[in-house]
Amino acid sequence: MSELYDNPRYYEIAFSFRDISAEVDVFEECFRRFAQIPVKSVLELGCGHSPHMEELTKRGYQYNGLDLSKAMLEYSRGKALRIGAQVNLIQGNMVDFSLKGMVDFVYVLLGSLDVKNTSELTTHFNSVAQVLKKGGLYFLDWCVQYDPPGGSEGGDSWEIEREGIKVKTAVSWKVINKVEQTFEETITLEVNDHGKNLNIVGKEIKRAIYPQEFLCFVSGFKHFEFVGWWNNWNLLQPLEQAEKIDRPIVLLRRI
Ligand SMILES: C[S@@+](CC[C@H](N)C(=O)[O-])C[C@H]1O[C@@H](n2cnc3c(N)ncnc32)[C@H](O)[C@@H]1O
């Protein structure tokens, strides 16, 4: 696993630009408008430090998180203990996994859909279908590439300071294989923790998923139907009308 995920506190600061309560409002709007069952339980794939766990449990949802990284899961356990939440944190691989029970809502955030090829994409969706109740929703944040990393090699960077810890984050993408649609994502954290400097680098190979192949994949998959896709976590902004695509979300329903 990437050393990036051995540093949950720094990772949490790096990605703390999100408005968590507003994002949980968007989840709930999806439940109201598109779920065909009452949503009481949720599963976050690649949960990491479980940024939405506190808000979700406060609103009465039963939280489940699955991650490969022990350090991330330990960090989330500590958080759950501090807030007194009863949660289920599981070490597992989202490529192929199972759960003891079933859930009403599954979500994966910040492009964390970790599949390296088409066969992993298929086993991943089969696993989600096994754990998601019929009528429930699967929510994917930035997991489809509308601006192909293969087309424009590029990146982004930003800086955030919390409690005396400064984290400068840089994300970049590089094509690995155009036929296999693989690209390498590099995330670098330059940390200044009260004067102590660290440089943390995480590299992952991912398979790009392009919009029209995603629609074909879903329509050929008997367990899911496409509900919609929107820009900027805003259900008033269908992607078809977006000029610049940023933080796009996709919603599927289990059938
Ligand atoms: C980008 S972080 C996202 C963390 C959190 N969901 C968030 O929104 O900030 C990705 C997480 O996915 C986990 N991860 C990466 N590959 C995985 C896999 N194959 N199965 C399960 N978790 C995985 C990493 O350990 C990491 O915690």
Side-chain angles (χ1 to χ4, degrees):
M1 276 237 83
S2 141
E3 68 163 325
L4 180 64
Y5 302 130
D6 292 336
N7 292 279
R9 179 63 184 138
Y10 301 143
Y11 180 88
E12 180 174 45
I13 294 172
F15 290 89
S16 63
F17 53 79
R18 293 172 284 180
D19 181 340
I20 296 298
S21 164
E23 291 190 355
V24 175
D25 289 346
V26 174
F27 287 164
E28 288 192 317
E29 199 180 337
C30 290
F31 303 165
R32 278 191 293 274
R33 287 174 56 177
F34 304 115
Q36 291 173 340
I37 52 172
V39 177
K40 295 185 179 139
S41 56
V42 306
L43 167 66
E44 177 172 13
L45 299 175
C47 61
H49 63 287
S50 306
H52 301 72
M53 174 175 70
E54 181 169 4
E55 189 63 31
L56 283 162
T57 54
K58 240 182 8 198
R59 297 190 196 190
Y61 298 98
Q62 199 266 315
Y63 180 87
N64 300 272
L66 178 128
D67 204 285
L68 266 182
S69 157
K70 266 192 188 158
M72 282 287 186
L73 289 167
E74 275 314 305
Y75 191 78
S76 287
R77 274 191 197 106
K79 204 189 265 188
L81 212 61
R82 273 196 305 282
I83 61 175
Q86 294 285 338
V87 299
N88 184 22
L89 294 162
I90 312 141
Q91 191 172 23
N93 191 336
M94 70 172 85
V95 168
D96 197 354
F97 66 95
S98 57
L99 271 190
K100 283 206 184 103
M102 291 183 91
V103 295
D104 309 316
F105 179 64
V106 177
Y107 67 98
V108 58
L109 303 181
L110 289 180
S112 305
L113 178 52
D114 178 44
V115 295
K116 291 175 183 48
N117 51 52
T118 304
S119 138
E120 290 192 359
L121 187 66
T122 306
T123 55
H124 169 79
F125 273 89
N126 276 325
S127 301
V128 177
Q130 293 304 310
V131 304
L132 180 60
K133 288 184 204 156
K134 283 190 180 163
L137 301 172
Y138 183 21
F139 181 108
L140 301 100
D141 163 35
W142 221 335
C143 294
V144 174
Q145 279 75 34
Y146 304 89
D147 295 310
S152 53
E153 301 207 352
D156 199 0
S157 67
W158 62 93
E159 200 167 328
I160 298 180
E161 180 169 356
R162 298 264 186 272
E163 297 163 5
I165 306 175
K166 269 191 219 150
V167 181
K168 188 171 173 202
T169 307
V171 185
S172 62
W173 302 277
K174 184 176 91 177
V175 178
I176 299 293
N177 187 307
K178 286 186 178 167
V179 174
E180 291 170 1
Q181 297 179 197
T182 47
F183 64 97
E184 182 180 66
E185 180 182 77
T186 304
I187 302 181
T188 307
L189 308 185
E190 271 176 46
V191 179
N192 181 323
D193 186 344
H194 299 89
K196 186 176 97 180
N197 292 310
L198 292 105
N199 203 38
I200 299 163
V201 183
K203 285 185 186 290
E204 276 182 281
I205 308 279
K206 291 184 176 172
R207 177 212 191 279
I209 305 169
Y210 300 123
Q212 294 304 314
E213 70 152 339
F214 182 72
L215 291 183
C216 281
F217 178 78
V218 172
S219 69
F221 205 85
K222 64 177 191 239
H223 297 306
F224 291 99
E225 63 184 338
F226 176 74
V227 176
W229 44 27
W230 298 270
N231 206 17
N232 277 316
W233 282 65
N234 186 338
L235 298 184
L236 297 174
Q237 294 183 24
L239 273 186
E240 288 80 1
Q241 292 161 22
E243 274 179 26
K244 179 181 181 306
I245 294 185
D246 195 29
R247 298 208 64 212
I249 55 172
V250 183
L251 198 61
L252 303 180
R253 188 166 39 229
R254 172 78 166 88
I255 47 177

